[in-house]
Amino acid sequence: MPILALWVIWKKQELGIVYLPFFFFLNDMIDRNLPAMVNYFTVSMMVGYYLFHNLTFVKRNIFSLLLVIHFFILLPNAKDLVRIRPDFFASIVLFLLIPIIAEVYTKFPRERIFEELSKSSLFIMIFFIINTVFSTVLRYNPTEMYGITSGVLYGNIYLSDFNILAFASFIVIRKGIKDKSIIHIAVYIATIFLVLLSFRRTAMGLALLGTVIVMIELLNFKQIKQFIMYGFVLAVVSLVIVYSTGFLAVFQERYELRKLDDRALGEEKRLMELDLMYKDLFVYYDYSPWTGYELFDYKGSNYGKGIFGEERPLHSDYAVLIHSSGLIGLSLYLLMMFVAITSIWRRTNTKDDYLQFMFCMIAFCVFFITGRFSKISFMVMMFMIWYLPIARKTKVVSKISGSLRNTKRALSLKS
């Protein structure tokens, strides 16, 4: 992976930033034999390269840098630096990348960025399929997610690792329909069915929502034939897979393992965490409301008087941010996101852009409740898609815009 990272930087230079989600996903998927510092060095080298060439990112989103400084100020208070190291490192990388991605995108045409992002997304999904096939054949199942011990297995892919597939599938199906690529569509269909069998509700819901968004993009008179054709093909292929592979039996078995019928909305512990945080801060005064308890030390005994037991850590982003960095950290995080989102909104002006914006906005709101921001593979991938409108316009689009302006100017002079 360090060699691959060097090759991407040498070959793609700054545009290689779109392959970072692929590297993050591989880090989650593989068993590493080298020391952890090799991974930290590789990621730091790549992020450092993009940071060095885009130092003006500070002007784009000052709250990103302030959040990084705030986390470093809180770091000396942490009792176990080794344990929190992965979360702390990932968080700093995410905070820096959010404005850096935008800065890089302004240097390249949108079409070129989309092409590279499509390749990155396709690699993610292909490696996911390969990993699933080998894990299933070799019965490699170290995580036993939700008690799954038979059938389709996912190896080291666990819980929020699946979230990146919702965004990768969104890009791949859009690319497949745009270029009429059988490979992209086939990889997309295989990935969707494997994600559905994972019973990760967030990944399942967002992957299906992304598909609906792409199909809605085809809903106009010029592309109505494509809409009907692709809708028919996807429906037929889905029916064939469902009724010829035993998919329904496995789906029913895993549904029962998840015990979703026994979980009412009011009992969702993520929704109760905000109330627990309020009581910790302003009723019991267990820790400072401004700086929180301690960076990423959110195990069950450190919040809510241990109401959920020792084993259950905080899940939602708002709870983790308040507990780890206080109201200052939560405020800086929300301000950083507000600046990023408003910069995207200003450049959003077509139907497809609005649909894409809505998809990413829904995803962000879902992640803010379900967590967690320190799993940066899907967070970075989301911003890779979200930032597409701020990329440079192609020459063709620029010429059309210029001719329209000239026409308006001529008409005004005549009048």
Side-chain angles (χ1 to χ4, degrees):
M1 287 183 62
I3 295 173
L4 183 60
L6 288 171
W7 183 86
V8 166
I9 291 175
W10 173 70
K11 191 73 175 177
K12 303 294 182 179
Q13 297 182 351
E14 288 186 58
L15 197 53
I17 197 171
V18 301
Y19 291 92
L20 280 177
F22 173 59
F23 278 94
F24 298 148
F25 183 70
L26 287 182
N27 278 330
D28 296 331
M29 186 179 71
I30 64 175
D31 279 324
R32 291 183 292 273
N33 293 320
L34 294 175
M37 290 307 298
V38 175
N39 174 53
Y40 291 130
F41 173 77
T42 303
V43 175
S44 299
M45 175 190 66
M46 297 186 75
V47 174
Y49 173 82
Y50 304 124
L51 187 151
F52 178 76
H53 286 85
N54 297 276
L55 293 175
T56 52
F57 80 91
V58 178
K59 296 180 181 179
R60 183 171 293 275
N61 198 331
I62 186 61
F63 297 108
S64 167
L65 184 60
L66 292 176
L67 192 55
V68 170
I69 294 172
H70 180 62
F71 269 54
F72 270 103
I73 291 174
L74 296 176
L75 186 59
N77 296 327
K79 299 181 183 69
D80 190 348
L81 294 177
V82 174
R83 185 183 57 78
I84 73 165
R85 184 177 60 189
D87 284 338
F88 179 80
F89 180 80
S91 300
I92 298 301
V93 169
L94 174 65
F95 301 155
L96 291 174
L97 280 177
I98 286 175
I100 290 174
I101 293 169
E103 203 67 21
V104 172
Y105 271 27
T106 58
K107 300 178 181 180
F108 296 94
R110 177 169 177 167
E111 285 300 316
R112 186 178 172 191
I113 294 173
F114 181 78
E115 289 299 316
E116 296 296 339
L117 190 57
S118 300
K119 293 176 185 176
S120 177
S121 301
L122 188 64
F123 290 154
I124 289 170
M125 294 170 72
I126 288 174
F127 272 81
F128 169 69
I129 294 170
I130 292 172
N131 170 75
T132 304
V133 169
F134 276 95
S135 296
T136 302
V137 171
L138 300 175
R139 318 307 302 164
Y140 180 63
N141 187 33
T143 60
E144 293 193 8
M145 183 176 65
Y146 304 135
I148 296 171
T149 57
S150 61
V152 176
L153 304 175
Y154 303 100
N156 285 324
I157 303 299
Y158 185 65
L159 298 180
S160 55
D161 295 336
F162 286 90
N163 291 345
I164 191 175
L165 297 167
F167 300 110
S169 62
F170 175 77
I171 291 293
V172 167
I173 188 61
R174 180 186 265 184
K175 174 68 173 175
I177 290 176
K178 178 183 176 183
D179 294 353
K180 298 180 175 61
S181 169
I182 300 298
I183 294 176
H184 285 76
I185 294 174
V187 170
Y188 160 80
I189 292 173
T191 301
I192 287 294
F193 277 97
L194 292 176
V195 169
L196 289 177
L197 287 178
S198 73
F199 258 92
R200 282 294 299 164
R201 290 174 294 172
T202 302
M204 293 164 62
L206 290 176
L208 294 176
L209 175 63
T211 304
V212 172
I213 294 292
V214 173
M215 295 303 292
I216 291 175
E217 290 177 359
L218 298 174
L219 275 177
N220 59 55
F221 290 109
K222 293 181 180 180
Q223 295 176 300
I224 192 67
K225 290 182 179 178
Q226 281 185 296
F227 174 80
I228 295 173
M229 180 186 70
Y230 284 110
F232 178 76
V233 169
L234 290 175
V236 170
V237 172
S238 298
L239 288 173
V240 170
I241 293 174
V242 166
Y243 287 104
S244 64
T245 62
F247 175 84
L248 286 177
V250 178
F251 190 85
Q252 178 64 29
E253 177 188 347
R254 297 192 173 183
Y255 177 83
E256 293 171 358
L257 282 173
R258 281 285 268 145
K259 299 178 181 179
L260 296 177
D261 290 336
D262 300 331
R263 298 166 66 178
L265 183 63
E267 297 174 352
E268 278 289 356
K269 295 174 182 177
R270 288 179 177 87
L271 301 178
M272 299 169 64
E273 290 175 354
L274 186 59
D275 179 59
L276 294 177
M277 291 296 100
Y278 173 80
K279 290 179 179 177
D280 282 356
L281 298 177
F282 303 112
V283 177
Y284 304 120
Y285 305 103
D286 286 339
Y287 41 89
S288 169
W290 304 112
T291 56
Y293 178 82
E294 187 180 315
L295 274 179
F296 300 110
D297 192 6
Y298 43 75
K299 59 185 179 181
S301 60
N302 291 339
Y303 72 93
K305 303 297 184 183
I307 188 174
F308 295 139
E310 178 74 22
E311 298 300 321
R312 187 189 184 277
L314 288 168
H315 284 67
S316 56
D317 282 354
Y318 54 79
V320 171
L321 283 162
I322 292 174
H323 191 270
S324 292
S325 59
L327 294 176
I328 294 176
L330 176 64
S331 300
L332 289 174
Y333 180 83
L334 292 176
L335 286 169
M336 176 185 69
M337 292 299 180
F338 176 78
V339 170
I341 293 169
T342 51
S343 69
I344 299 167
W345 178 254
R346 293 194 195 100
R347 300 293 295 272
T348 301
N349 48 34
T350 67
K351 185 190 80 170
D352 292 353
D353 284 348
Y354 281 116
L355 289 170
Q356 178 180 281
F357 182 92
M358 181 180 69
F359 172 60
C360 291
M361 191 68 199
I362 292 172
F364 171 72
C365 293
V366 169
F367 292 147
F368 195 61
I369 297 173
T370 62
R372 23 185 106 212
F373 65 93
S374 57
K375 178 62 68 173
I376 58 173
S377 57
F378 65 84
M379 289 293 290
V380 171
M381 188 66 173
M382 179 180 70
F383 275 98
M384 293 289 181
I385 297 172
W386 215 347
Y387 272 133
L388 282 173
I390 74 171
R392 278 170 40 194
K393 295 180 179 180
T394 58
K395 292 182 179 180
V396 174
V397 173
S398 300
K399 287 180 180 179
I400 293 173
S401 301
S403 62
L404 287 173
R405 286 195 297 270
N406 291 335
T407 303
K408 287 181 181 179
R409 192 178 297 113
L411 289 172
S412 62
L413 287 173
K414 281 186 178 181
S415 61

